[in-house]
Amino acid sequence: GSLGEPRALFALPSARGPLPPPHWPVECEVIKERIEHIEWVPPEPEPFCQPVGHEQAPVPLSEEQGTVVYHHSPAPQGSCFTRARVGGGPGPLSSPAVPLEGPQDTTLLFESRFESGNLQKAVKVGPYEYVLTLRPDLYTAKHTQWFYFRVQNTRRDPLYRFTIANLVKPKSLYGEGMRPLLYSQRDAQSHGIGWRRVGTDVHYYRGCGGEEPITFHLSWTVRFPHDGDTCFFAHSYPYTYTDLQRYLRALAGDPVRSRYCAVRALCRSLAGNTIYLLTITSPAAATAKRAVVLSARAHPGESGGSWAMRGFLDFLLSAHADAQLLRQLFVFKVVPMLNPDGVVVGNSRCSLAGRDPNRAYGTALRGSFPGVWHLRSMVERVLAEREVVLYCDFHGHSRKNNVFMYGCDDGRAGAGLRLRQRVFPLMLSKNAPDKFSFPSCKFKVQRSKAGTGRVVMWRMGVSNSYTMEAAFGGSTLGGRSSHFTVEDLKALGYHLCDTLLDFCDPDPTKFQQCLAEVDAWLRQRLGREPGSGDGWSDVSPSELESSTSGSDSSVSDG
C-alpha cells in the first residue's frame, strides 16, 4: 500500500458487497433481524434527575412470586471459549420469551439475542413490573453493568417499573441523577427521534437479603410513548462492531479520504473478527513525522469511547484546515475497536478469554489477547523509527461525572517532567471547559494498573500516555448539569485534535503558560508559596493526588 503497510489477507470492508458479518461463539443464539438505530441529538439538554435517597428503595418483590417471561443464558458457568462462527450457534433458535395468550395479554416481550445485546432473564412480578437479570461477561461470573435489550407489546398509559437485580458496583452515577436510555422504533420512524434519557424515580441501592456475593439494584419507572411499539433500553448509546464496519466501508469507498487513510487488519480476535488498524497521514514523505496512537473499546460496555473515536476520525479525515495540518505533521495509528468479540456478545469488560484486556498489556500472550499483543508490538515498531508524541486509550466511567484523564507519574522523574505529564489534560480542559475536568485527573501509577495500556506504553517510552475517561452520565461543568449526548462525546474527539495542535505548537507560549499554571495549581494545593524555593519534586504522587482529588480515591474503571 501507499502508506507502507502490507496488504492484509483479512476480510476488509470493501466499498461494494455486504459487510463481513460478525463471528459469535457457538453457544450464542442470534436472531436474524437487523437492529439499527438512527443517530439523533435532543434539541434541549437532558438534565439529571433528582437523586432519590437509598432509604426510599422500592419494596423488593421476590422472583418466586413472579413468572419468568424471558430467559436466555448462553454459556454455562465455568465453561470457556472454544469456537465461533458467523451467526452463532448452528441449531434452530430457542424461544426464551413466553408467548402471549391473546390481544389482551399485556406482558412485554423481551429480546437480547442481537449484537451487543445483554439481558439474561426477565421476571414479571406485577401487571407492569419486571425484575431483570443481566448476563455476566461470557465465561465469567461477574462484570454485570452493560445492558441493552428490546421490549415489544408496549402499552402507552401504564407506569412500568424495571429493576435490574444483579449489578456489582457499590456506587453508580445512577445514584446521582443519571437516567437510562430508551429508543422507540415508532418515534424514530415517524418523528426522527432517537435514543433519549427516560425514567423517573431512578434508584440505585444495595440488594437486601443475605445473598452472596452482595448485589446492587437499579430500579426505574417509565411510560412508553406508544401502544404496540418496539422499544429498546440501554446503559449507554450502543455502538456495535457492525456500526464500525459500516463506517470503515464508507471510508474505504471514499476516493478522497482513502488517499490519506489506510484501513488494515491489525490481527484477528479469538472469534475471528478483524481488529482494524487505521493509518492516517498525508501522502507526503512520512520520514520526519512523529506518531500519535489512539485506541478504544478495550472494555466493550464503554460504548461512549466509540462515539468519541467517531468524532475524532470524522474531524481528522475532514477537509478542515486543522485536520490537514495534523495529517501533515503526524502519522496517526488508530485501533478503533480493540475488543470486537466483547462488543459483539454484549460484555461489559472482558474479551472471550474471560479476562480484562486492559490488565493484560504487561503479560499479554499472543494467543489469549491478540488485540493487546499486536497493539503493543505495533507501538514497539513505531517507536523504533519515530517519537510517539501521544498515546490515548478511550474509556467510560461509571462513578464520576465529566471527562478526565489518567496519566503516569511514578514520582521518580524530575519536577519538569512531572509537570509536563499534566499539560495535555490541562490544555484539553481549556478546549472543552463544559465537559473536561482537570481536577478529576489522576497521575499516580497504582500497582493494580501496571498492566494497563497507558502504563505499559509509558514504560516503553511514550511520555504522554493517557486513559481518557468519559462519564456514562454527563457534565456538571460550565453551568451544565445534564447528560452527555452522542454529539458531546463526538466533540471530545474534535477537542483532542485542537489540543494536539496546541500541545505541539512550534510557538511555545501556550505550553509554557500551561506549565506555569500546573505548577501554581499544585503549589496552591500543597499550600506552598508560589515563588518560594519550595518546589514539589520531593512530593510523592500519592500526596499530590490526596490533595487534589478529594475523597474520590476509589479504584477507577480505567
Side-chain angles (χ1 to χ4, degrees):
S2 56
L3 297 171
E5 288 285 317
R7 277 263 167 225
L9 306 169
F10 297 104
L12 295 172
S14 68
R16 293 160 302 284
L19 291 169
H23 290 77
W24 294 74
V26 288
E27 299 93 327
C28 296
E29 291 185 10
V30 188
I31 58 171
K32 295 287 179 275
E33 289 156 83
R34 279 177 62 178
I35 307 286
E36 287 190 60
H37 303 295
I38 62 169
E39 210 177 304
W40 177 73
V41 175
E44 297 294 317
E46 297 174 301
F48 298 131
C49 59
Q50 283 309 304
V52 261
H54 297 253
E55 63 287 347
Q56 307 145 293
V59 180
L61 288 151
S62 77
E63 289 186 10
E64 288 72 63
Q65 301 162 305
T67 314
V68 176
V69 293
Y70 180 81
H71 193 194
H72 177 64
S73 183
Q77 250 171 36
S79 63
C80 51
F81 172 69
T82 52
R83 59 194 192 86
R85 65 190 288 278
V86 168
L93 292 180
S94 65
S95 305
V98 171
L100 297 178
E101 287 172 5
Q104 76 301 336
D105 189 340
T106 58
T107 303
L108 288 174
L109 291 170
F110 290 84
E111 181 60 87
S112 63
R113 295 171 298 167
F114 48 81
E115 207 181 334
S116 294
N118 190 317
L119 175 69
Q120 183 163 287
K121 189 158 82 170
V123 179
K124 186 177 182 178
V125 293
Y128 302 102
E129 177 157 3
Y130 297 86
V131 174
L132 310 176
T133 307
L134 302 186
R135 191 211 70 218
D137 283 3
L138 277 188
Y139 318 117
T140 80
K142 45 185 199 282
H143 308 298
T144 43
Q145 175 171 294
W146 170 259
F147 59 88
Y148 174 30
F149 58 88
R150 182 177 82 181
V151 290
Q152 290 172 313
N153 198 35
T154 60
R155 296 292 185 275
R156 210 183 77 186
D157 298 323
L159 186 67
Y160 290 79
R161 178 178 287 283
F162 297 95
T163 303
I164 296 174
N166 66 330
L167 295 163
V168 288
K169 293 189 175 181
K171 196 167 162 283
S172 166
L173 288 170
Y174 285 116
E176 297 179 31
M178 174 172 150
R179 303 161 77 197
L181 285 160
L182 171 82
Y183 186 97
S184 152
Q185 211 139 289
R186 190 167 303 171
D187 276 348
Q189 283 156 358
S190 317
H191 309 291
I193 294 171
W195 288 103
R196 59 183 149 187
R197 303 282 171 174
V198 296
T200 41
D201 200 21
V202 179
H203 294 262
Y204 193 86
Y205 56 101
R206 185 175 168 159
C208 45
E211 75 246 25
E212 279 296 319
I214 296 158
T215 59
F216 295 84
H217 295 201
L218 164 63
S219 188
W220 72 94
T221 55
V222 66
R223 285 183 208 279
F224 290 109
H226 305 284
D227 283 330
D229 195 3
T230 292
C231 292
F232 295 82
F233 285 105
H235 176 54
S236 178
Y237 307 100
Y239 192 100
T240 62
Y241 184 53
T242 297
D243 290 330
L244 173 68
Q245 300 214 88
R246 197 175 291 127
Y247 184 81
L248 295 182
R249 176 166 72 174
L251 263 185
D254 182 324
V256 178
R257 293 183 300 173
S258 58
R259 287 218 317 271
Y260 44 75
C261 175
V263 179
R264 297 286 181 269
L266 175 70
C267 60
R268 284 199 154 181
S269 69
L270 289 183
N273 292 307
T274 301
I275 299 176
Y276 294 101
L277 169 65
L278 280 54
T279 300
I280 303 166
T281 193
S282 57
T287 44
K289 292 184 185 181
R290 294 187 287 175
V292 173
V293 180
L294 299 177
S295 54
R297 294 306 277 283
H299 294 150
E302 296 168 14
S303 58
S306 279
W307 289 103
M309 181 60 83
R310 244 288 297 278
F312 170 80
L313 291 171
D314 282 349
F315 183 84
L316 183 62
L317 297 167
S318 71
H320 195 287
D322 281 351
Q324 292 182 30
L325 181 56
L326 283 164
R327 296 193 299 263
Q328 282 159 16
L329 289 174
F330 302 106
V331 177
F332 292 88
K333 293 282 187 182
V334 182
V335 181
M337 197 172 280
L338 253 175
N339 182 2
D341 297 350
V343 173
V344 167
V345 302
N347 277 1
S348 288
R349 282 187 88 80
C350 296
S351 69
L352 297 182
R355 308 215 312 274
D356 181 344
N358 201 35
R359 295 294 179 276
Y361 278 85
T363 54
L365 300 164
R366 187 175 183 163
S368 310
F369 294 99
V372 161
W373 192 92
H374 282 90
L375 173 59
R376 192 181 68 190
S377 63
M378 183 267 292
V379 172
E380 280 171 349
R381 286 198 305 277
V382 171
L383 279 165
E385 54 185 44
R386 58 186 85 238
E387 182 195 345
V388 175
V389 71
L390 174 77
Y391 168 71
C392 186
D393 190 21
F394 296 10
H395 284 256
H397 206 283
S398 66
R399 291 190 306 279
K400 270 161 70 173
N401 272 315
N402 307 312
V403 183
F404 46 93
M405 282 178 151
Y406 294 125
C408 301
D409 172 6
D410 61 359
R412 296 190 190 132
L417 257 175
R418 295 178 67 191
L419 278 180
R420 287 181 129 73
Q421 262 296 314
R422 293 165 167 80
V423 170
F424 192 90
L426 180 64
M427 285 182 162
L428 188 48
S429 73
K430 292 176 184 295
N431 286 325
D434 63 333
K435 299 178 191 64
F436 193 97
S437 163
F438 182 71
S440 295
C441 295
K442 292 195 163 99
F443 300 88
K444 182 186 172 189
V445 178
Q446 295 165 297
R447 256 198 306 277
S448 65
K449 298 299 181 75
T452 58
R454 78 178 153 98
V455 173
V456 171
M457 300 296 179
W458 174 68
R459 298 218 189 275
M460 279 163 53
V462 181
S463 49
N464 300 291
S465 186
Y466 304 101
T467 303
M468 182 165 72
E469 297 275 358
F472 283 110
S475 168
T476 59
L477 305 169
R480 281 183 61 160
S481 191
S482 60
H483 292 87
F484 286 139
T485 64
V486 285
E487 196 43 59
D488 285 321
L489 295 165
K490 281 163 47 175
L492 280 178
Y494 317 148
H495 293 310
L496 198 82
C497 290
D498 302 341
T499 306
L500 199 51
L501 284 175
D502 290 341
F503 187 73
C504 296
D505 193 332
D507 174 355
T509 315
K510 272 185 186 167
F511 193 94
Q512 295 301 338
Q513 185 188 331
C514 286
L515 268 181
E517 219 170 295
V518 172
D519 187 46
W521 191 80
L522 286 170
R523 284 172 188 273
Q524 182 195 333
R525 290 287 170 145
L526 292 165
R528 300 191 174 188
E529 289 305 306
S532 75
D534 292 342
W536 46 266
S537 52
D538 55 328
V539 179
S540 76
S542 303
E543 287 170 80
L544 286 180
E545 306 286 78
S546 56
S547 57
T548 57
S549 54
S551 59
D552 195 300
S553 57
S554 62
V555 182
S556 67
D557 288 22

